[in-house]
């Protein structure tokens, strides 16, 4: 890395010139940096607004899952089987699925080698269990903090290798060169939060050949979110850089606690806690589930199944399915304005309508699970303590004692299955720009639980290998770089000056902007998607984006990151709603983790009105056989394209041919991301 100071965009600015920067410091980003160094590319640095502040280091669930090829048991598995299962939900390209499946053992054992404590038996087998959308038992877990343990192991290796980390650097623009199919990444513009003052931002430039974007999903778009509070994403930067996105319609939602953001999946549900709702002040308590189930056995079994059928799925709302619970929680909280809690202190009581709970009322599979786990105690908290004491201790460490107080929950945004499209080596349509992890979003409509952790590790490793093999070398000289990006840098500086300047006109604060984004997305871009509301709110989203560019103001340079994040999410939510609207306009129906009201369909339960009536999508639908791609055009509009889903490649690979290609270094080849 070479550092210099040059005049660019009308002002002097430090410039760090190097081969690659990794933007973001989650498990995918750190793996990219570590793998680059392992492959011999030491000219790399990590750039992050807060090291350890993202989803990987601050999220989890009861038994946070890592999904991989099966490595134990007597049931045969193969990468092609796993690829077909990854792609089975629809709208996932088969070649990407195969790459993720083939790469999963290597990625998994890389983590094991770094010290992530995945459990194994005395024969050395890494045993597995079944997770959601998983026909086998490929899932494993290092406990509720699996991704945090991954982050810690990768961070330790990063430090051991001496990879430079630019902490407290907020990237506010991706800089590019060229147009259309010839566009390539040139670098990035960041604000150095450590050197900025209240009156003057400290801008820093990165002059590079490659940018690996590992900034996660746009969790800041939603009112009810289980993303860490600081996880806002940076999708707007990629849209502005010309990157093509895909499957933005496909996010994942489920039940999570709101005081401390955490998924209430796994044993939190399998111990069958009591569901209660109250008014806003905490009064008027009622067990609202009792109205919708014919008996306590079916109610309790649905709650139990919510443990490993955690994501909301419209197909599981009918006939007393587990996702009916999500609908009822949404009805209580969003429609009726009440609050919902899980109470682990006592069993469901039936509210005088149903008989009180006892384990023998459960379905056969659920009862056998608790019995084999030695968890037939008299209360949910006793069962939870027996089965998973760390799940109790986790909340205690955040000031919530499940033995003494109920746990407030809501239906929350948890993961974006879509993101920015990439090639087989995770390079976007912008050359030298590699989205990895959740910002890439290789998944389709549904995904097996834990496959995102695998995708982040495999994708970042493949991006690193491609760079080390095909995109080595130094970036242009600093002076040439300044000439290329000068206009882009000047525009961002002028935007920053406007947001910290005085005005006699209307003022929009970042907080007000984000509040409108979150209200809008939670109202029509989350679990429930009414086509008429989407059309209306999309127009409002673009109007907010235009207002934000004119009216956003902060008190000083120290608050500029807030303003840039608000701008980013204002643009992001408008593009997301455009994608959702396109899906609905094409006749798209309920699928994945969202429900589209359809008066011609059926409601999940007779007591739920027409608002909840829906018809399920079919894989053979136009929208099921294709992937929706979107990008900004030169004038800021959204271009939409439907492309056929690529199938899983046929099995093949003659050893002698592969060996010769490998020996000639002809395996890693440039792929068109289209």
């Amino acid at each position: 890395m070479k550092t210099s100071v040059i005049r660019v965009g009308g002002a002097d600015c430090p410039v760090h010139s190097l081969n690659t920067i990794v933007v973001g410091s989650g498990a995918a980003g750190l793996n990219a940096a570590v793998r680059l160094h392992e492959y011999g590319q030491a000219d790399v640095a990590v750039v992050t607004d807060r090291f350890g502040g993202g989803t990987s280091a601050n999220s989890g669930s009861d038994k946070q899952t890592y999904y991989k090829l099966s490595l134990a048991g007597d049931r045969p598995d193969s990468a092609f089987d796993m690829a077909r299962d990854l792609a089975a939900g629809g709208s996932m390209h088969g070649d990407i699925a195969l790459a993720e499946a083939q790469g999963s053992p290597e990625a998994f054992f890389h983590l094991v080698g770094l010290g992530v404590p995945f459990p194994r038996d005395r024969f050395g087998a890494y045993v597995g269990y079944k997770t959601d959308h998983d026909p086998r038992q490929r899932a494993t877990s290092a406990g509720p903090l699996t991704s945090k343990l991954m982050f810690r192991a990768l961070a330790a290796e990063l430090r051991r290798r001496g990879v430079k980390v630019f902490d407290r650097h907020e990237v506010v623009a991706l800089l590019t060169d060229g147009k259309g199919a010839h566009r390539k990444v040139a670098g990035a513009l960041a604000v150095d939060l450590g050197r900025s003052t209240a009156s003057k931002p400290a801008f820093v430039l990165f002059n590079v050949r490659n940018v690996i974007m590992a900034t996660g999903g746009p969790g800041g778009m939603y009112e009810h979110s289980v993303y860490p509070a600081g996880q806002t994403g940076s999708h707007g930067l990629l849209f502005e850089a010309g990157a093509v996105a895909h499957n933005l319609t496909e996010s994942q939602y489920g039940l999570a606690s709101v005081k401390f953001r955490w998924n209430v999946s796994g044993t939190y549900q399998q111990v069958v806690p009591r569901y209660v709702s109250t008014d806003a002040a905490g009064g008027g308590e009622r067990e609202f589930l009792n109205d919708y189930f014919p008996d306590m056995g079916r109610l309790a079994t649905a709650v139990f199944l919510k443990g490993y059928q955690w994501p909301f799925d419209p197909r599981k709302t009918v006939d007393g399915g587990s996702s009916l619970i999500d609908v009822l929680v949404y009805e209580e909280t969003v429609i009726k304005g009440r609050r919902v809690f899980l109470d682990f202190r006592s069993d469901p009581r039936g509210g005088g309508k149903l008989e009180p709970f006892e384990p023998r009322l459960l379905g056969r599979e659920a009862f056998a699970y608790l019995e084999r786990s030695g968890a037939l105690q008299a209360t949910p908290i006793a069962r939870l303590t027996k089965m998973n004491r760390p799940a109790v201790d986790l909340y205690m460490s955040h000031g919530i004692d499940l033995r003494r107080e109920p746990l407030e929950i809501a239906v929350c945004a948890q993961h974006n299955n879509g993101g920015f499209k990439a090639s087989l080596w995770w390079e976007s349509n912008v050359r030298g720009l590699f989205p990895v992890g959740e910002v890439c979003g290789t998944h389709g409509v549904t995904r097996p639980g834990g496959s995102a952790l695998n995708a982040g590790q495999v994708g970042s490793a493949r991006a690193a290998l491609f760079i080390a093999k095909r995109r080595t070398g130094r970036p242009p000289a600093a002076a040439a770089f300044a000439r290329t990006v000068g206009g882009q840098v000047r525009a961002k500086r002028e935007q920053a000056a406007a947001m910290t300047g005085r005005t006699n006109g209307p003022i929009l604060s970042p907080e007000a902007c984000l509040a409108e984004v979150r209200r809008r997305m939670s109202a029509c871009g989350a679990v429930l998607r009414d086509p008429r509301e989407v059309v209306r709110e999309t127009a409002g989203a673009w109007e907010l984006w235009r207002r934000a560019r004119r009216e956003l103001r902060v008190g000083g340079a120290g608050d500029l990151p807030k303003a840039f994040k608000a701008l980013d999410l204002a643009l992001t939510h408008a593009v997301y709603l455009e994608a959702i609207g396109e899906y609905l306009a094409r006749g798209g129906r309920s699928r994945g983790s969202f429900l589209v009201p359809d008066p011609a369909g059926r409601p999940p339960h007779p007591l739920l009105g027409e608002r909840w009536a829906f018809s399920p999508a079919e894989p053979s639908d136009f929208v099921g056989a294709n992937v929706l791609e979107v990008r900004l055009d030169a004038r800021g509009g959204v271009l939409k394209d439907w492309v056929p889903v690529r199938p899983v490649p046929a099995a093949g690979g003659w050893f002698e041919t592969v060996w010769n290609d490998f020996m000639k270094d002809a395996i890693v080849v440039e792929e068109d991301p289209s």
Side-chain angles (χ1 to χ4, degrees), residues 146-223:
T146 299
S147 65
K148 187 167 189 174
L149 294 171
M150 291 166 55
F151 163 79
R152 287 175 175 172
L154 289 161
E157 182 67 7
L158 194 80
R159 288 190 291 268
R160 190 185 73 80
R161 291 177 173 274
V163 175
K164 173 69 175 177
V165 176
F166 289 91
D167 199 6
R168 301 198 67 219
H169 279 64
E170 181 80 39
V171 173
V172 297
L174 292 175
L175 308 172
T176 60
D177 184 17
K179 295 182 179 180
H182 302 290
R183 180 172 291 192
K184 62 182 180 179
V185 75
L189 176 67
V191 177
D192 184 343
L193 304 179
R195 292 195 304 112
S196 295
T197 66
S199 59
K200 186 177 180 181
F203 285 105
V204 177
L205 281 163
F206 293 92
N207 170 30
V208 299
R209 289 207 70 205
N210 309 291
V211 174
I212 298 177
M213 289 297 289
T215 47
M221 287 198 305
Y222 299 93
E223 268 183 317

Side-chain angles (χ1 to χ4, degrees), residues 245-379:
H246 63 174
N247 279 337
L248 298 186
T249 54
E250 307 308 316
S251 288
Q252 186 169 281
Y253 310 92
L255 298 176
S257 55
V258 296
K259 184 178 177 182
F260 163 57
R261 296 184 176 192
W262 203 255
N263 293 339
V264 285
S265 58
T267 45
Y268 290 117
Q269 301 292 340
Q270 289 165 335
V271 299
V272 193
R274 191 167 71 103
Y275 276 74
V276 298
S277 73
T278 72
D279 58 31
E285 179 181 296
R286 58 186 297 266
E287 293 184 58
F288 61 96
L289 297 184
N290 297 332
D291 297 336
Y292 298 88
F293 290 89
D295 56 64
M296 179 57 72
R298 295 191 190 182
L299 185 157
T301 300
V303 172
F304 176 91
L305 290 174
K306 177 87 336 220
Y308 58 84
Q309 295 176 355
W310 179 83
F312 172 71
D313 183 344
R315 297 170 301 178
K316 295 185 177 74
T317 62
V318 297
D319 301 324
S322 61
S323 284
L324 175 61
I325 295 171
D326 301 78
V327 169
L328 299 178
V329 171
Y330 187 97
E331 181 82 6
E332 291 290 309
T333 55
V334 178
I335 308 300
K336 297 179 180 178
R338 291 171 65 82
R339 301 166 68 188
V340 172
F341 299 84
L342 297 183
D343 189 348
F344 292 90
R345 298 169 298 177
S346 65
D347 286 335
R349 299 167 185 166
K353 297 181 179 180
L354 307 177
E355 61 181 306
F357 171 78
E358 56 180 274
R360 68 173 180 81
L361 297 175
L362 285 165
R364 181 181 303 174
E365 180 182 353
F367 179 81
Y369 187 97
L370 293 182
E371 184 177 43
R372 291 186 66 182
S373 302
L376 297 176
Q377 289 80 7
T379 62

Side-chain angles (χ1 to χ4, degrees), residues 435-446:
V436 301
E438 191 178 350
V439 73
C440 183
T442 55
H443 321 286
V445 178
T446 58

Side-chain angles (χ1 to χ4, degrees), residues 18-23 44-47 187-188 206 208 210-213:
L18 66 162
N19 177 265
T20 301
I21 59 170
V22 179
V23 183
V44 57
V46 173
V47 183
F206 293 92
V208 299
N210 309 291
V211 174
I212 298 177
M213 289 297 289

Side-chain angles (χ1 to χ4, degrees), residues 49-50 169-172 193 215 220-221 229-237 499 510 513-514 517-518 545 552 559-572:
D49 62 345
R50 185 162 64 92
H169 279 64
E170 181 80 39
V171 173
V172 297
L193 304 179
T215 47
M221 287 198 305
Q231 174 59 51
T232 56
S234 59
H235 284 46
L237 301 186
M499 292 190 298
C513 180
L514 290 175
V517 168
R518 290 164 180 162
W545 164 235
L552 261 176
D559 289 329
L560 270 175
K562 295 180 182 178
F564 278 115
K565 285 183 183 294
L567 278 171
D568 192 282
L569 284 173
L571 174 59
T572 299

